[in-house]
Amino acid sequence: MPKIPETIHELTVGQVAARSGAAVSALHFYESKGLISSRRTVGNQRRYTRDTLRRVAFVRAAQRVGIPLATIREALAELPEERTPNREDWARLSETWRGELDERIKQLNRLRDHLTDCIGCGCLSLDSCILSNPNDTSGDRITGSRLLPERKPGPTPTPTPAPEKNRCG
C-alpha cells in the first residue's frame, strides 16, 4: 500500500484508490451517491481530503456485511458536521444494524433449508413456495406462482406463423 506523506492534505482519486483498495470507478460511484465528496481544481480534477480514506473504509466495511448504500449514506449524514466516522460511531451503527443482519441471516438459512423443495418443483408452483411466497403469506388468497398482479383478460393475440426455413441441398 503506497504511503502518502503527512504533508499532503489533499489526495487525487488515484491516491485514494491506491490507499483504500477501492477502484476509481467505485470512488466516483460513492461520490455520486453522496458517501464521499471532493472539490474540483481549476483543471476540473477531483481532490479528496485525507479523511476520505476513513470514510471509504467505513463504506466498504459496511458493504461487506451487507448494509445497503442508502442506509450507509443515512448513517454518515447523521454524524455531526458530516465528520469522518470513528470507532465509537462504528460500534453504535453496527449495533443498530445487528437486528437487520440477524433477520437477513435467518431468511437466508430458511431459504437454504428449503431450496431443494424448489429445485424439485421446477416451476415454483408449490402451494407455499418459500422463495416466492415466504411464510405462505398469500396462501389464504391464492396458490401457486400467481403472485404477480393478475392481468385482465383481453383478446387472445393470433400467433404469427414462423417463417419457413430455406432448406437447400
Side-chain angles (χ1 to χ4, degrees), residues 22-165:
V24 170
S25 59
L27 296 173
H28 292 170
F29 180 74
Y30 292 163
E31 190 169 354
S32 75
K33 296 299 179 187
L35 300 166
I36 61 174
S37 61
S38 68
R39 75 167 186 87
R40 297 295 184 129
T41 66
V42 264
N44 203 29
Q45 296 176 335
R46 288 177 168 93
R47 292 293 184 265
Y48 298 92
T49 57
R50 291 183 73 87
D51 66 334
T52 300
L53 292 170
R54 183 176 299 224
R55 286 179 79 89
V56 170
F58 180 90
V59 169
R60 290 172 53 102
Q63 279 186 294
R64 273 193 293 278
V65 296
I67 304 301
L69 286 179
T71 303
I72 298 168
R73 181 180 55 246
E74 290 168 9
L76 289 171
E78 290 177 10
L79 296 176
E81 299 175 24
E82 296 185 4
R83 70 171 164 74
T84 300
N86 58 29
R87 185 183 309 263
E88 291 79 25
D89 295 323
W90 178 257
R92 180 178 46 81
L93 291 169
S94 63
E95 186 60 35
T96 62
W97 294 334
R98 182 177 297 276
E100 180 184 329
L101 292 172
D102 287 343
E103 181 60 31
R104 203 174 305 151
I105 289 167
K106 190 169 95 178
Q107 289 173 349
L108 288 170
N109 283 331
R110 189 175 71 224
L111 287 172
R112 180 202 58 215
D113 295 344
H114 295 282
L115 188 58
T116 54
D117 295 339
C118 290
I119 291 172
C121 164
C123 67
L124 300 178
S125 63
L126 296 172
D127 288 344
S128 57
C129 177
I130 194 71
L131 292 177
S132 61
N133 186 14
N135 298 321
D136 196 22
T137 55
S138 300
D140 57 339
R141 296 187 334 264
I142 60 174
T143 60
S145 61
R146 294 166 298 190
L147 297 178
L148 297 176
E150 294 188 23
R151 295 182 183 183
K152 294 179 182 175
T156 306
T158 307
T160 308
E164 290 190 33
K165 293 181 182 178

